[in-house]
Every structure is written in structure tokens, then in C-alpha cells.
Amino acid sequence: MDGWSIPWFRFLFPIGLYTVLKFFYVFPETEPFGIKNEAVRKKIVKMLVANDGALDSFPMLCVLELLKISKFIRKKERMKKVTAPILLFHSIKDDLTSVKSAESVYNNISSESKTFIKLDNSYHLITLDNDKDFVAKKTIEFIKNISGSQVNEIEESYV
């Protein structure tokens, strides 16, 4: 959690994460909501105002669990065990986390078939943002490549 929208007071997170505060504090969701695309962002704001399924905050306890699993996974001996084909996307303008995490994963896994694509026209939620069509296209290509077969059903349902 080192992206440009993370609050300046992030150095205080341990006080909340490792005390009783973790059960009570929530991080409010704020602009830009992980979305660069203004039209999509406006839809999210409408959903928030209407209380229609949009998540308006993140419990600190969830953040703590995210950090714990991230620490567990980042151990190099665990990452070296990853041999499955990997397609990794990350936005260079991600508002929640810098590209360093994705680069670390890519550099430390043992997969022979691995692709890392950096996106420059989205924020955190790449499957909802400006790069969503590109991400879908590259995902379909990746699946076709590793499966060695035509995956026409997926492609047709996407179009």
C-alpha cells in the first residue's frame, strides 16, 4: 500500500493495525476510487450516493489480513515454487500500490511462461478502467497461447 492516493499519515497505520483500533476503524473510499475513467467514476459515485452495492470503506481488519498474506507470499522460497504460466498486469499509475510489488513477483517466480504488462491509462481497477479492453484481449491471447487451442467461446462472449 504505497500508491499515490494512500494518506500521508500511513506511517501511523501500525497503531491501528496492531491495536484494538483494527476492529473499529475503516478507511473511507475516496476519489478517484481506483478509476481513472471519469465516466466510470461518476457511476461509482452514483452507486455510493444511492447505497447501491458500491463499497464505501475498507475495514482496517481487512487491510491487516491483506498485509499478512502479502508478507507470507513475498517470501522468496515461496515465490520460487510458482511454476504455472503467469500473466501479470499492473498500472504504473496505480493509486493504491506502486508497480514495485508486481515487479517483485515477476522477478522472483520460477514460471517459464510469464508475461508482465505495465498499463499506463488506468489506476488500480484495471478491469473497469480505460485499459479494460486491452486487458481482456491480452488475457484471451494468453489463454490461447498456454492452452494450445482455440478459445473461441471466451472471445465470442467478450465481443
Side-chain angles (χ1 to χ4, degrees):
M1 295 185 55
D2 60 353
W4 55 266
S5 74
I6 301 298
W8 64 269
F9 55 86
R10 71 175 142 223
F11 70 93
L12 296 173
F13 285 3
I15 293 171
L17 291 171
Y18 300 104
T19 68
V20 71
L21 289 174
K22 70 182 167 211
F23 298 110
F24 301 105
Y25 184 77
V26 295
F27 293 99
E29 179 66 274
T30 58
E31 294 265 359
F33 309 111
I35 307 272
K36 184 176 183 181
N37 184 296
E38 302 241 355
V40 175
R41 205 180 310 157
K42 285 179 183 177
K43 290 178 186 177
I44 290 173
V45 169
K46 284 183 184 177
M47 290 174 67
L48 286 168
V49 169
N51 197 16
D52 192 22
L55 189 61
D56 64 350
S57 62
F58 297 94
M60 188 172 276
L61 201 52
C62 291
V63 174
L64 177 61
E65 293 302 316
L66 171 74
L67 294 173
K68 281 182 185 178
I69 196 165
S70 178
K71 183 179 179 181
F72 176 82
I73 290 169
R74 280 194 318 253
K75 293 194 175 182
K76 289 191 183 187
E77 66 270 8
R78 286 193 182 94
M79 296 237 278
K80 291 291 180 201
K81 292 180 181 179
V82 176
T83 59
I86 299 291
L87 174 60
L88 183 60
F89 293 99
H90 200 286
S91 173
I92 59 173
K93 298 176 182 174
D94 192 313
D95 54 321
L96 294 181
T97 181
S98 70
V99 74
K100 291 185 296 185
S101 291
E103 288 171 341
S104 175
V105 169
Y106 183 79
N107 291 329
N108 288 296
I109 60 175
S110 297
S111 303
E112 288 185 28
S113 173
K114 60 184 181 178
T115 304
F116 182 24
I117 300 173
K118 294 178 186 177
L119 305 169
D120 65 357
N121 198 22
S122 293
Y123 292 160
H124 187 71
L125 299 175
I126 62 171
T127 58
L128 298 176
D129 215 339
N130 295 323
D131 291 311
K132 68 182 179 200
D133 293 332
F134 176 78
V135 168
K137 178 182 172 222
K138 289 298 182 184
T139 301
I140 291 167
E141 287 174 12
F142 182 77
I143 293 169
K144 283 181 177 182
N145 255 354
I146 64 169
S147 70
S149 65
Q150 297 299 316
V151 189
N152 292 327
E153 290 177 32
I154 294 173
E155 195 166 5
E156 288 171 12
S157 68
Y158 173 72
V159 178

